[in-house]
Amino acid sequence: MHIHSDIGIIHGVAMEAIVLYPSPGMGHLGSMVELGKLILTHHPSFTINILLTTAPYFTGSTAEYIADISATAPSIIFHHLPSISLPLEPASYSSAEALMFDLIRLNNLHVHSALQSISTSSTIHAFVIDLFCAAALDVAIKLDVPIYHFFTSGASCLALFLYLPEIARNTIKSFKDLETTVSLPCLPPIPLSHMPVPILERGTVEYVGVIDCMAKLAKSAGIIANTFESLEPKAVKALADGVCVPDGPTPPVFCIGPLIATNRQTGGDRDDKVPECLTWLDKQPSGSVVFLCFGSTGLLSKEQLREIATGLEKSSQRFLWIVRNPPSEDKSQSFLARSDPDLKFLLPDGFLDRTKDRGLVVKLWAPQVAVLNHDSIGGFVTHCGWNSVLESLCAGKPMVAWPLYAEQKINKALLVEEFKLSLPINESENGIVRADEVEKRVRELMESEKGNSVRQRIVAERNEAMKAMGEGGTSRVALAKLVELSKKV
């Protein structure tokens, strides 16, 4: 057990601690760190302890990021838990979710030891877990430590996830076979077939695990949501009214966002070296570039990459596009570090040369927050991951919604129909977005009245977000209430 020695007792008084427990992966870790930083900014008496699962496979490079945070925020202390021996080789699992559930369940022993160790010198006011760490609820109950969920998506998605166990109890069919929509007053019509892939097939390991995680959301002392009230007023009201958990009480929900990472390093250039893409953007006219990025795990087929390239070329728009290798047919490769894509092999012949005066293709990674906030960026084609949605909102950049996995189809429906902050993109019957559709939506985003209307709405919403996070704003008030509740322990 790697427990730092600088946790201690000051002048004979136990320190006040909050323990955060993300599931593996940079996206989960970065969100938890930002939560810790937010708490410390407004309530510096706490020490933030972050438990890091040591996975026996590659989950992304985090060492430099952790070193940066440790150097700049000494009140954030990382605990590297011992490595887990899995019952199967990673590639033998049916999915990443199935592997994750085994990893988190087997990690409970180390989580128990870490919480005990921290509690010998500190009062643990809150143990905050993410959705996939629900197995740790048993540890918290055993140690009588108050447990909270940090829900890294929005209030509307939270309302839906709290309600899904009720739907699951009242049907014997798989969600993929149900031709119905979710009926909650706070949501636009969302087909059950648009639920995250792991729960579409009833009875699988993934279905059982994810539905259990959703059910355990309602068992926590409170749920912290990365959103702000004025973005999702219907969902906030539905949660407060308890309509999403028909068979019991709904925990208090604290909307403390938008919480976005401003210095996250997930690969590529370090802070002391200006990335090529930012230098390139400096040379482009204001608001002229469309940015395309599909998240750290959003992998597209070679066929899809070529359709995007053709659509971008035909659109005549300036573009900055982040490209990764397509998913490998060899499952074992998904647990290894990603290699640089061969752009000449993946993209149409001559594409890079023909578009070099108005486009830049970047391999693997770019500093997304810095890119979105650049004056040259005029729009964002996104996979609808919630972090990316909030980053785009806070930068005031309109979106084209292109969901790929997880809850992203839900987010697309919200962005397009409820919030009106995005234009939709439409797939063909075989799941491929054709070049003509890419061209149409990129032009629409950058040149049309419809795109301009979305741009005006998102700038207005950005102003609301700034108010929520400011002195006396709803998110600041929610954070204060959360801290007050935790200190009653």
Side-chain angles (χ1 to χ4, degrees):
M1 174 79 61
H2 179 60
I3 300 291
H4 289 245
S5 59
D6 49 353
I7 300 176
I9 298 177
I10 299 178
H11 304 305
V13 179
M15 295 173 67
E16 296 183 310
I18 291 176
V19 182
L20 309 181
Y21 182 31
S23 47
M26 187 64 218
H28 298 272
L29 172 60
S31 295
M32 281 287 192
V33 167
E34 293 303 319
L35 175 62
K37 286 162 63 177
L38 178 70
I39 293 169
L40 289 174
T41 297
H42 301 294
H43 304 276
S45 63
F46 284 107
T47 298
I48 303 296
N49 299 267
I50 301 181
L51 308 186
L52 299 175
T53 301
T54 306
Y57 55 91
F58 184 75
T59 59
S61 179
T62 58
E64 287 183 356
Y65 172 74
I66 290 170
D68 285 347
I69 297 300
S70 296
T72 56
S75 291
I76 297 180
I77 300 163
F78 295 93
H79 304 264
H80 296 270
L81 304 179
S83 186
I84 297 293
S85 294
L86 292 168
L88 301 172
E89 288 297 314
S92 298
Y93 281 87
S94 56
S95 67
E97 290 81 12
L99 188 158
M100 173 88 70
F101 292 135
D102 258 7
L103 182 67
I104 297 299
R105 177 179 56 80
L106 293 168
N107 211 37
N108 268 0
L109 183 67
H110 302 315
V111 171
H112 188 281
S113 297
L115 291 175
Q116 279 190 315
S117 177
I118 294 167
S119 66
T120 59
S121 54
S122 303
T123 300
I124 299 176
H125 287 281
F127 178 38
V128 183
I129 64 174
D130 76 16
L131 178 68
F132 289 108
C133 292
L137 191 69
D138 296 336
V139 178
I141 291 170
K142 192 176 293 184
L143 293 176
D144 197 25
V145 174
I147 195 162
Y148 294 78
H149 271 89
F150 180 36
F151 191 75
T152 53
S153 199
S156 303
C157 193
L158 172 61
L160 174 58
F161 279 14
L162 282 167
Y163 190 62
L164 276 177
E166 174 73 8
I167 298 176
R169 279 191 293 270
N170 287 290
T171 181
I172 58 171
K173 285 188 174 182
S174 294
F175 288 162
K176 68 180 179 60
D177 298 324
L178 288 169
E179 298 178 5
T180 55
T181 58
V182 180
S183 57
L184 279 175
C186 58
L187 299 176
I190 300 175
L192 281 166
S193 59
H194 284 188
M195 296 305 106
V197 170
I199 60 172
L200 290 181
E201 186 71 51
R202 192 177 185 89
T204 62
V205 171
E206 294 83 358
Y207 173 91
V208 172
V210 175
I211 292 294
D212 182 60
C213 286
M214 291 174 177
K216 284 179 176 172
L217 275 169
K219 307 299 181 188
S220 52
I223 303 172
I224 306 159
N226 190 10
T227 189
F228 54 105
E229 287 187 13
S230 63
L231 177 64
E232 305 182 80
K234 292 181 187 175
V236 170
K237 183 177 188 306
L239 290 163
D241 291 346
V243 300
C244 308
V245 187
D247 63 341
T250 300
V253 177
F254 304 92
C255 298
I256 52 82
L259 195 56
I260 61 173
T262 53
N263 65 341
R264 185 164 70 201
Q265 296 288 328
T266 56
D269 301 270
R270 296 276 293 156
D271 284 334
D272 54 4
K273 178 185 172 187
V274 178
E276 175 198 7
C277 62
L278 295 182
T279 304
W280 181 82
L281 283 171
D282 289 341
K283 301 171 185 174
Q284 311 307 314
S286 176
S288 68
V289 179
V290 62
F291 177 44
L292 300 92
C293 187
F294 298 93
S296 57
T297 54
L299 307 182
L300 302 171
S301 68
K302 181 180 177 181
E303 179 187 3
Q304 183 63 84
L305 292 173
R306 290 188 165 224
E307 292 288 336
I308 293 173
T310 302
L312 287 175
E313 185 171 357
K314 289 167 66 179
S315 76
S316 301
Q317 301 297 317
R318 297 173 190 269
F319 64 87
L320 171 60
W321 180 20
I322 313 305
V323 172
R324 297 182 175 85
N325 273 320
S328 172
E329 293 182 9
D330 180 358
K331 276 182 65 178
S332 64
Q333 297 297 308
S334 62
F335 299 101
L336 303 176
R338 294 191 184 93
S339 57
D340 279 7
D342 181 344
L343 298 180
K344 289 188 176 179
F345 168 72
L346 291 172
L347 304 179
D349 291 343
F351 168 77
L352 294 172
D353 289 333
R354 291 192 300 273
T355 60
K356 64 183 179 182
D357 293 334
R358 62 177 175 85
L360 179 66
V361 178
V362 176
K363 298 177 180 181
L364 294 177
W365 178 87
Q368 184 163 292
V369 173
V371 168
L372 286 169
N373 281 280
H374 198 285
D375 179 64
S376 295
I377 296 295
F380 183 27
V381 178
T382 174
H383 65 313
C384 304
W386 193 249
N387 285 338
S388 292
V389 167
L390 292 181
E391 288 164 7
S392 195
L393 187 155
C394 289
K397 302 298 162 66
M399 291 167 269
V400 170
W402 187 335
L404 297 178
Y405 56 91
E407 87 287 14
Q408 292 162 14
K409 286 185 177 178
I410 301 164
N411 290 342
K412 176 188 176 182
L414 294 165
L415 284 168
V416 173
E417 299 170 38
E418 187 72 19
F419 308 155
K420 296 182 172 33
L421 301 178
S422 176
L423 301 175
I425 209 155
N426 298 313
E427 298 176 344
S428 60
E429 288 184 3
N430 65 354
I432 294 289
V433 175
R434 293 298 173 198
D436 288 349
E437 176 73 3
V438 174
E439 176 193 6
K440 174 186 174 183
R441 293 305 182 184
V442 166
R443 282 182 180 274
E444 191 175 43
L445 182 69
M446 302 298 284
E447 295 180 347
S448 76
E449 275 304 311
K450 190 180 286 187
N452 194 47
S453 173
V454 171
R455 184 171 287 103
Q456 289 175 354
R457 278 192 61 82
I458 206 161
V459 168
E461 208 59 70
R462 176 186 63 185
N463 295 336
E464 289 298 314
M466 292 171 66
K467 286 181 192 173
M469 293 295 277
E471 189 70 41
T474 56
S475 294
R476 276 283 281 281
V477 170
L479 181 67
K481 287 180 179 176
L482 170 66
V483 169
E484 183 182 348
L485 177 64
S486 70
K487 283 193 170 184
K488 290 179 179 177
V489 175

